[in-house]
Amino acid sequence: NSKQISASSNLYLNWDKKYDLHAIDLRGGVRYNNDSYRGEFGSGHNTPTDLNPNLSKDLKYRQAHGYDDNWTSISWYATGSYSFLDKYFLNAVATADASSRFGKDADMLKVAGVRWAIFPSVDAAWLVSSENFMKAVPAINLLKVRLGYGYAGNDNIPIGSTVTYFSPVQYINEYTGKLISNIGNPYLKPEVVEKGNLGIDLNVLNNRLSVSADVYHHVTHNLLALKSLGSISGMDTYWTNEGELQNNGIEISLNAVLLALKNFRWDLSGSIAHYKNKILQLPDGDYINNIYGAEIRTAVGQPAGLFYGYKTLGVFSTTDEALAANLKVADLTGIGFHSFKAGDMHFEDRNPDGNIDEKDKTIIGDPNPDFTGSFNTRLSYKKLSLTALFTYSYGNDVYNYVRSQLEAGSYLKNQSAALQNRWINEGQHTSIPQSSYGDVMGNARFSDRWIEDGSYLRFKSLTLSYDVAIKSQAISGFTIWGSVNNIFTLTKYLGSDPEFSINNSVVYQGIDAGLLPQGRSCFVGLKLNL
């Protein structure tokens, strides 16, 4: 057995100069990519005649906007790989990034007057199945253990956050002035993600069954977050690196060849993933975002983007039930109170002081699922193939904003048919409170009444294809195929589609704002094999 040692290395240089609308020219003009145009202009609409080429006083509308800036980034990449006896592997990568977005006083490596961020990482693997002792286990065709550790980052610092600048502001649609729009933080540096992962690959039964599993632990340091400024500054917040976030998770995938006959083959594969994030640090402690009437809480020691509101205990069926609870809510003056009556929602008095107020709010939902994944199957007979894909999510909560508007029963707008089951008579048992114009008692306030289980199983796609071989120098064959997408969805969610996100931001997850659902679609295609 001869020993084999191999090593390789690579070095890459990437230079990228980009332009973004950023800082105002104090003379009133705006420049973009070295091209100038005026920062204010007039426009008019609905003129009574097309013969008037001028903007009359009534139609004139002056605007001022925009800021101008360009930014530059440069990256160096170095990679090296090493293998020993084709069963021990080592790969190392180092990245050096410089960007004009970095703060000029940031605590970073400074070379030739430029601040650099260094991101090293290393991955190792052991091909256990190549060891001599594995010959005693012939059922295992491949066993590989992987281990990785390293750092990653980016220069995605908001444009202009490191400098103080002015923006135009308009007064009475006539005059343009300058207003301070940002107080810069010259110490800003990139977010750094510290990554650690452990994985295993296993093939058994003549490679008929393969399993891959990964466990990871990520911590984001220098997390970019907004920090409050004193009111004397004239600004509300500024950007800092005082946040920290942790992500842990596991991912498992499986592939199996159930049948492998001469003309027929059946493959099955699937995956499952679980993650859990936790806020470790925030510049101003816990805070709440108000989105579509919901309160989204971000707090140290908890997952990001939790729903924060009131818990409900049903609807008061009788006057005696309401009197026994003895709950009240402050009126608009903040001095007097209104008592809850039969037909009102029974909110949990967590304080408890007999008053339903801010002190009674708590976590009422988590948009992060317990696990997600997919599975698909493929049946092949000679040149004909049929593939089906399913996706699923379990344990994620959803805020049904649409239902909160259609079942509020507190204003003169169309409501859903569910309001036919609202409380009307003494002793009636229902989950929908009485209709009350203005909603003095706050029955429709943000509570777990609008939080639903968003778990689902979706038949994502079904594809039928047929391969045709052609004896030609130009074309070796072609595949004709047809597919149907979003065939059906199994879910208890009352909205139109449980699989959605109104925004990529972590605080917007699990909010159904009434976007168009994914409809069923059909496609037919032809693929040429050249």
Side-chain angles (χ1 to χ4, degrees):
N1 295 328
S2 60
K3 295 184 178 180
Q4 299 178 3
I5 301 176
S6 64
S8 64
S9 63
N10 299 282
L11 187 64
Y12 304 97
L13 170 64
N14 178 56
W15 182 82
D16 191 14
K17 186 172 184 179
K18 303 180 180 179
Y19 298 90
D20 273 290
L21 224 55
H22 182 232
I24 184 67
D25 187 322
L26 294 182
R27 294 169 299 177
V30 177
R31 292 180 308 203
Y32 180 61
N33 285 9
N34 297 324
D35 294 326
S36 298
Y37 65 87
R38 291 193 57 78
E40 37 180 309
F41 62 89
S43 63
H45 307 278
N46 299 325
T47 176
T49 172
D50 294 335
L51 301 178
N52 184 3
N54 301 316
L55 291 174
S56 66
K57 181 178 179 181
D58 294 335
L59 290 175
K60 184 167 64 174
Y61 176 63
R62 300 177 65 82
Q63 287 185 327
H65 67 89
Y67 36 74
D68 178 34
D69 190 25
N70 62 72
W71 60 276
T72 304
S73 66
I74 186 171
S75 298
W76 288 87
Y77 306 93
T79 67
S81 59
Y82 174 82
S83 65
F84 180 64
L85 298 176
D86 286 332
K87 46 187 175 181
Y88 309 106
F89 306 92
L90 187 67
N91 185 66
V93 180
T95 303
D97 294 335
S99 173
S100 60
R101 291 191 181 193
F102 300 161
K104 61 179 179 148
D105 298 323
D107 182 18
M108 302 169 63
L109 177 65
K110 188 175 182 180
V111 178
V114 178
R115 300 192 179 276
W116 294 82
I118 310 299
F119 305 114
S121 64
V122 60
D123 295 283
W126 176 26
L127 191 59
V128 184
S129 54
S130 292
E131 298 290 353
N132 291 330
F133 60 80
M134 289 298 296
K135 294 179 180 179
V137 193
I140 297 179
N141 306 112
L142 181 143
L143 177 58
K144 190 176 189 179
V145 179
R146 297 173 279 105
L147 181 65
Y149 181 79
Y151 296 85
N154 59 72
D155 64 348
N156 195 26
I157 298 174
I159 292 292
S161 55
T162 62
V163 296
T164 300
Y165 60 84
F166 293 84
S167 288
V169 62
Q170 200 157 34
Y171 301 95
I172 62 174
N173 286 337
E174 290 288 341
Y175 308 102
T176 302
K178 302 297 183 293
L179 182 70
I180 189 168
S181 294
N182 185 69
I183 294 181
N185 182 357
Y187 300 98
L188 281 182
K189 50 188 175 182
E191 297 177 339
V192 177
V193 182
E194 182 181 3
K195 300 182 176 182
N197 68 279
L198 174 65
I200 184 171
D201 300 319
L202 175 65
N203 290 8
V204 297
L205 305 176
N206 293 324
N207 295 311
R208 296 284 291 270
L209 178 65
S210 61
V211 180
S212 180
D214 287 271
V215 179
Y216 61 86
H217 173 75
H218 296 174
V219 178
T220 303
H221 306 282
N222 304 327
L223 186 69
L224 289 166
L226 289 171
K227 185 173 182 177
S228 298
L229 272 169
S231 58
I232 193 174
S233 69
M235 300 292 297
D236 294 327
T237 57
Y238 72 104
W239 287 100
T240 70
N241 288 113
E242 297 183 33
E244 192 167 293
L245 173 69
Q246 174 182 290
N247 280 286
N248 297 325
I250 182 171
E251 300 175 353
I252 301 174
S253 61
L254 180 146
N255 294 274
V257 181
L258 301 181
L259 287 174
L261 306 178
K262 181 179 180 181
N263 295 320
F264 182 78
R265 181 184 175 99
W266 182 13
D267 295 277
L268 180 67
S269 62
S271 66
I272 185 171
H274 166 76
Y275 73 88
K276 185 175 182 180
N277 63 64
K278 182 169 68 173
I279 303 293
L280 301 181
Q281 181 180 333
L282 291 171
D284 291 324
D286 306 346
Y287 67 91
I288 291 176
N289 296 89
N290 292 286
I291 304 169
Y292 288 98
E295 293 190 4
I296 311 300
R297 189 168 190 256
T298 303
V300 174
Q302 295 181 343
L306 298 179
F307 298 123
Y308 187 70
Y310 297 89
K311 283 193 173 183
T312 60
L313 303 175
V315 174
F316 289 118
S317 175
T318 65
T319 301
D320 291 340
E321 288 182 10
L323 291 175
N326 192 27
L327 299 177
K328 54 185 179 295
V329 63
D331 61 16
L332 294 178
T333 66
I335 301 175
F337 293 90
H338 298 289
S339 297
F340 283 86
K341 303 180 181 62
D344 289 327
M345 290 297 304
H346 185 179
F347 294 102
E348 184 178 19
D349 186 17
R350 298 180 59 85
N351 197 22
D353 57 1
N355 299 329
I356 300 301
D357 53 23
E358 297 284 330
K359 300 175 183 177
D360 299 310
K361 292 181 179 179
T362 185
I363 301 301
I364 58 175
D366 185 351
N368 300 293
D370 293 335
F371 56 84
T372 61
S374 65
F375 60 90
N376 65 78
T377 183
R378 185 172 187 266
L379 301 172
S380 303
Y381 177 73
K382 294 185 177 180
K383 302 293 184 179
L384 187 67
S385 298
L386 181 67
T387 304
L389 172 64
F390 295 82
T391 59
Y392 63 88
S393 177
Y394 179 80
N396 55 299
D397 292 321
V398 173
Y399 166 42
N400 195 335
Y401 168 75
V402 177
R403 190 165 67 84
S404 73
Q405 300 301 299
L406 296 179
E407 297 181 17
S410 59
Y411 38 65
L412 300 177
K413 295 182 180 179
N414 287 336
Q415 300 286 273
S416 72
L419 265 293
Q420 296 180 18
N421 296 321
R422 68 188 183 279
W423 186 93
I424 299 176
N425 301 314
E426 181 82 9
Q428 179 184 351
H429 294 278
T430 179
S431 60
I432 301 178
Q434 62 183 333
S435 294
S436 175
Y437 183 77
D439 195 17
V440 175
M441 305 306 298
N443 290 324
R445 71 183 73 192
F446 181 62
S447 67
D448 59 1
R449 178 184 172 193
W450 313 120
I451 304 299
E452 301 181 31
D453 182 6
S455 304
Y456 69 88
L457 171 64
R458 167 162 282 171
F459 193 169
K460 191 69 174 179
S461 68
L462 181 66
T463 303
L464 181 66
S465 62
Y466 185 77
D467 297 327
V468 179
I470 298 178
K471 294 182 179 180
S472 171
Q473 293 182 350
I475 301 176
S476 61
F478 66 88
T479 301
I480 184 171
W481 58 271
S483 68
V484 182
N485 299 325
N486 301 316
I487 299 172
F488 66 78
T489 303
L490 301 178
T491 182
K492 293 182 179 179
Y493 180 59
L494 298 177
S496 58
D497 191 347
E499 187 182 15
F500 59 86
S501 177
I502 61 173
N503 192 284
N504 290 330
S505 172
V506 65
V507 297
Y508 281 87
Q509 301 306 303
I511 300 177
D512 184 359
L515 300 180
L516 286 176
Q518 301 178 67
R520 187 174 300 142
S521 58
C522 302
F523 296 90
V524 175
L526 179 67
K527 177 183 176 183
L528 297 179
N529 302 319
L530 303 177

